[in-house]
Each structure stands twice: as C-alpha cells, then as structure tokens.
Amino acid sequence: QVIIPISLYVTIEVIKLMQIYHIHCDKDFKDKKSGKTIECRALNIPEELGQVEYVFTDKTGTLTENNMVFQCCSINGTDYTHTPVINKNQNSDERDTFTLNNQLQEELASIELPLIYAQPGSRQNPTTLCPPKDSPSERIMDFFFTLAACNTVVVAKYPHRDAMNASGMIVPNESANSSSINVVDTSSNTTTTSIGSSSWGPNRVLRGFLSFSRPLSPIASSPHSTPPHTPEALPRYAAPTTLTANYDQSSTSVSITLNPISQSNGLENVRICDLESQPNSSPLRPSLLNIQAAQIYNPNFTRDSRSPTPSPMDITPIYEAESPDELALVDAAYKYGFRLLRRTLHNILISLPGYGLCEYEVLHVLPFDSNRKMMSIIVCHPDTQEKILYCKGADSAILDRLNRGVDDKTKFRIFRTQQHLNSFSKKGLRVLCMAKRVLTDTEYKDWTMKHKEAENSLSNRDHKLQESYSRIEKNLNLIGATGIEDRLQDGVPETIQALRNAGIVVWVLTGDKQETAINIAYSCALFVPNMEILKLNARTKDQAERTIQFYLRQIEQEEEVRQRAQMQGTAQGNGAEASNGARMEFSAVNDNNRRQNGPSEQRGLVVDGRTLVYILDRRANLKKPFLTLAGKCSAALCCRATPLQKSLIVRSAKDDLKVLTLAVGDGANDVSMIQTADVGVGISGVEGRQAVMASDYAIARFRHLEKLLLVHGHWCYDRLSRIILYFFYKNASFVLILLCYQLYNGFSGSSMIDQMYLMVFNLLFTSIPPILVGIYDKDAPAEVLLAQPRLYVQGREGRLYKPHSFWVNILDAVYQSIVLFFFSAVGNLASMASWRML
C-alpha cells in the first residue's frame, strides 16, 4: 500500500481524463466541411496511442471520400467513358457528377424514338417495336434497368430526418402531416395536378399508378420524408367517365375527380383540401412517395400542351441508399432516362425511355452479403409476364456464374468486358458486373417452393438460404459492367507515409478487386514505385504453401547475400587506412545495410481473399509462415477480404506477433475488425455510425490519425511512463528512509515524521506536481513530432518504461534515501553535540 498506493491509481486516472480532454479540445481535429470533430469514447487507453506497431485500415470511406462518381461502363463489349464533373466547393453538400456519353445517348435515342412516335391507330403490333431478344439494344435497356431496380434505394420527396425525443421515440412533425398541395387552375377553378411530360411516350398506359395495394416499406415512417396522403384504393385504370371518390383520413379529405379525356385533355383533376376538424379520425401511417395522378392516353394530346402544375418528372426524387455505390448507379440511370419513381415492398415504378411509366412486380429480393458478393432481384414483366432475374455484384462472383454454353460471339463479348474490367481496375475504379436470367414458370415454381422451406427453416437457416441463392443465381447472361470512381481523401498519402516513416506497419484490408486495390495503394503511398510487390494468388492449399515458402527462401537468400557483402566491406574497412571522409562514407553504407535488415522498405505484400481462406484455416498451418513473410514487408494489401477475414487477420497479428494493433474503419463491415484490435478508430463518414459506436476514438478524416498518434499518442505515453516511474521512485525513497530510521533506533516504533506531514505527503506535497507534469509536459513540440516521425519509435518500442528503467529508479531511490537519512542524522548529531557543549 506504500509502494503502490491508492494515490497512484487516482493520479493516473485524473491524468488520463485530462489528456483525453485536451485531445478532444484540439481544433486541428475538426473537419470544416462536415463540422465533426474527434470523439474520445475510451478514457483509459490514451498511452496506447503512442505504442501502435500495426495499423489495419479499410479503404472505401476510410482512405477515400466515399463519394462515388459513375465514370465508365461496358455494354455489348463497348467501353463508354464519362467525364467526371468535380464539385470544387468544399463547403457545398452537392455530389460530384458526370457528363453523358454522346455515343450512348445516340444508341438510346435510336431505341426510344420508334417507341415514342409509333401511332396507336396503326396496324403494327407495338411489341414488334421492342428490341429483339438478346440483341444489343435489349442489353442496353436491361443494363440501365438493373442500375435503377437492383438495389435497396428508398425514393422520397423530402430528405429523411428523424425527429427523436429524449426517449428515442420519433415525434411526428405536424407541419408535414398537415401538408397539402393546392395548385389552382384559373381556367377551371379546380385544383389540378398533372404528370404529363414530353419525355413520356403518349401511346403507353400507366398501370396501377394510383393503386397502393400494399403498405410501403417500414423505412417510410418519418413524416419528413412523406408527401401528402393519397388514397390507397383507387381505380387501376382510368375510365372515360367522371368518377368521384371521397376519402377521409385524419384531418385531410381528398376528393378526386376523373374527368372525361375529351374534356381534360388527357389529364386528371385532383382536388385536395384541408379540413381542420374531423371527428373520430385516426392517424394513418405516412406514405413514402405519393404521386397524385396518372398519365392517360389521349389522341388529342399534343406535345405543346403544358400544365400549370409540376409533374413527377419535373420534381427530381430524393434517393436515400445504404451504400454510396447504389446511389451513384441509380443517379446514372436517372440521367439516362431510367428513372426510379417509387418503390414499395412488392412493386417498383420506373419511367423507361420510350415506354413511359412501367410498374414491375417484385417477386423476390436476394440481398447482398459478403459471401456471395452480389445481390439479385426477381421481377415480373408487366407485358410478357416473364419472371426475370437481375443480378449485380463483384466481377469474381458474376463471371463464375455465367452460362458456359454460349456461342463464339457471346464469348468474345464476355472477353471484351473482362478486358474493360481490368482497364477500369488499373485506373483505380470500383467495378461491378450486371447479369440477367429469364426464368421459366417451372423453374421459378420449383425454386420458390424450396426457397420458402429455407426461409421457414429453424435450423441452419443461413446455410440453406445460401444454397437457395446459389440454385437460382446460375447460368446468367452478362449484360455489362460499370466503373465507379471514389477519390482519395485529402492528406491520405502524407499520413500513410508519415506512419511508415515512424516505423508503423500499415495494412489495407479491402473488398475491392486486386487491380483496383493495387492502384489505390500506389496512389495513397502505401506502395512506392521502386517497391518489390509479392503477390499471393493461390487456388489450392498446396499452391498457397509453395508460394509462401518460395518467397521466404528468396528473402533469406537476399539477406545472406547482403550480410556477406557487409562482412566483406567491414573486413576491407578494418584492413585499409582510409581517410575520415572515406570512413564516414563507409559508415553511411553500413547504416543503410543495417536499415535494410529490418522490415524492407522496398517490399510490399498483396494477398487475395481466396488465398486468405487457406491461410486463416487452422488445419492448413499456414498462418505462422504467412505472418513471417508479412513481417519482412513494410506494407500489406489484402483484396476481396470479407469482414470475418479482416477480424481474423487483426487477431492473428495481435496474438501471434505480440504487437499492439490499431484498426480504422467507417462502416458496419469494419465493426468486428475495430473491436478485435487493441485500439479501434472509427471514421464518422456517410455509412452510418456503427463503426463510431464500436470504436475507442472517432475522427472525421483519415489524415487526423497522423496527429492523433504521432503527437498526442507520443505525449501521452511519455507523460504516463515518466509519472509511473516517478511514483515508484518517490514511494521507494520514502519507505527506505523510514526503514533506515527503524534500523537506526533499533525498531523502537517511534515516529520519525509528524502525523500531519504523513497525511499531506501524498495528498498535497507530491500530488500536484505529478498531475501537472502528466497533463502538460511536452518533451518536444507538435511541429517537431510531425516533422520527425521517427521520434515515435520511443513509444513504439517502449523505450521509456522497461524492466531496467524500473530497477534503475529503485536503485536511485535506495541511494538517495540512504544519503538523505544519514546526512540528516549526522547533522542532527552534530547539532546535539554543539548544544551539549553549550
């Protein structure tokens, strides 16, 4: 209780709390664009920020902006490049966009124009105007339809904002619930809403535009993202007779009048009025997107007719997506005329060029997961009633599921698409593939029965669902591929270079294609141009083992050659009488050789997800040689890695290499990695706050990691190490002085120090100075620590607090306690002798 008193614990906790406070108050951690700053969620590990040896980081959203821009696409073996338009205003919330490809626009126009200008009175069957089956035109239409439909994007008129009270309950906004549309048509003295638009084909009839036969998605529970209420049960087709429907809900009464086509010029009149008082009314669940009228064919309709009210095509819907990739793809489809206007649980409403509004019935949605690396949607075509499967996913997943029994022309088209995928990846773009499959009624019924059994299964349900997905997601026909650009954040290359100069080994764990990941690794300075890249791409366990052993033998041979050259140079240097300048040059060569014996700065490791399966398998016994190989490299890149593989890699480095690890991520797929590492850092980006909630520290940008580790981490480790050593020294000195006094007086039990001084010794005399030193002491200013990252090695190697440091302080305490006691004792005896003489 004296050597390690309670005051030590209290002092350390107070120091850590104040260190966290000063980290939180650092203005350099505030992001000007988002207004977010650092969040210190763990209050007891600031010193570990100064001892990090391995940094594991995600790529998308962590190193990059997570602001996806559609840049390239490959359809029918043709590469359509788009020029990005970058928003240079950093304070603006507008997303980056792109310019449309002229060639692709012309091809879409050649498909759209015959459909638009086909006369309904002609004897030609309208279905003959549709693109032929398995034709280039059909693949173009299917490609953009997949971009618009195969996703989980929510369509809204207003941004989704939840208004929560103190209990976490969503409080409805009265202004949103009571909102209404009142657009007065002066010619007819009625409230009219039109959805006529010149971009829709006048020969197409909207199916079910006014019907809401099923409730909308539960996501649509916020009134802020809900337009005014509309009826849920209205005529599916417009009739050429006047129809009036009165609908009472809450405080709104909707009166809809469908006038004859000849009188309304093909438009519907909708009257919506507010009634403040309605007795016995119950609130209805708010809808996500309500469109108040339908487009009806009218032979007298002309393109010069205009409505004084805005149409849904004039009002751009707001898309809200879980992934920025989906948002970029839906925006790209919207720009080319494939406009997602409404999504319910069982239907999607899309405006197609030349076809107008089409409502597809959604039969099944096979969600994305990290194992399949793809998602699919099964829809029923409104005209042909065909069951069509549309898929979107990684190239490795889609290409392996393609139909092999195809002709040479199709094989060449697939080959050209693969070339474009490699080209997109080398540019650093995120690539995705699109495919489809037309299902027969027998195939669909058989699969549906087995899929329902898998969904209702109580045991091993996930495995059965995966098997069910695999049964239907096969024999696909490739539609095309996309390349999406995700720019690096500002300061990422400088931050990674500073961390590597500090001796920290940086690993990037990503799910991207290998070529894309390598390109980004060079861009962010993880790899340098003169670095030797070691690639582990194995398809079997034996191949993975042989590749790892080959690289290890090669590295050992290089080290042996380097050591022989060093020994020969040393012998020549000792035998020759060189000048001072020659000796200094030889010393520099030795320092360079000595530096190369550690983790090589000219060596980087790249491993793909399939090889990680064999490496992380305990039965394969490849983990130890893999980590040995990784220890010979200064940087590593893992491609196509799943969230589970990320956490297993971090755990392997943490347990087997006995190093202090730090993990950085921004999304829910990084949570397991963040929680496994010794220190977890979350990026408060655009993919939610799952990573932030699971982390120890949350920062707004990756570049803030440099100051967090190299400055605050260095200071915290240095302060706490010196304070703990000081406490041991102080308490040992105090106890040894008392021991010497007991030896001097024969263990009589007499008190050497007054009780009042004993009480205030730890409380006042020796408490304030250590606290002030632990909070404000700086062995070097921040500018020096940032300019000289190698100073971080003091904490990374734990040089301040080692066993010999403890014993040196104890010996110093013994020496000083003996000197202090006997110096005071001799002085006391001399004073007593002089007093007796008097």
Side-chain angles (χ1 to χ4, degrees), residues 603-729:
R603 197 177 294 125
L605 180 64
V606 178
V607 56
D608 67 341
R610 291 187 179 181
T611 309
L612 286 175
V613 174
Y614 306 113
I615 292 174
L616 298 175
D617 189 359
R618 295 182 179 179
R619 299 169 295 180
N621 296 324
L622 294 178
K623 186 185 299 183
K624 186 175 181 180
F626 169 72
L627 293 176
T628 303
L629 177 62
K632 303 292 184 180
C633 305
S634 61
L637 176 65
C638 297
C639 314
R640 296 299 191 194
T642 63
L644 179 60
Q645 289 177 336
K646 292 181 181 180
S647 62
L648 290 177
I649 291 173
V650 175
R651 184 173 297 279
S652 299
K654 176 181 175 182
D655 297 338
D656 298 341
L657 298 180
K658 306 299 180 183
V659 295
L660 196 145
T661 58
L662 180 144
V664 190
D666 72 311
N669 58 338
D670 303 319
V671 169
S672 58
M673 176 180 67
I674 291 174
Q675 292 179 336
T676 304
D678 295 291
V679 181
V681 178
I683 304 291
S684 52
V686 299
E687 290 193 11
R689 292 183 58 86
Q690 293 94 331
V692 172
M693 298 299 292
S695 64
D696 300 311
Y697 300 91
I699 55 180
R701 312 289 283 182
F702 183 81
R703 67 173 182 269
H704 297 158
L705 188 66
E706 179 182 4
K707 187 172 185 180
L708 182 63
L709 297 183
L710 302 187
V711 178
H712 290 284
H714 176 89
W715 283 343
C716 292
Y717 169 78
D718 181 80
R719 294 164 180 170
L720 287 174
S721 299
R722 297 182 187 277
I723 291 304
I724 292 174
L725 292 175
Y726 166 77
F727 259 89
F728 285 134
Y729 155 77

Side-chain angles (χ1 to χ4, degrees), residues 249-250 281-285:
Q249 68 173 40
S250 184
S281 62
S282 59
L284 195 67
R285 181 176 181 177

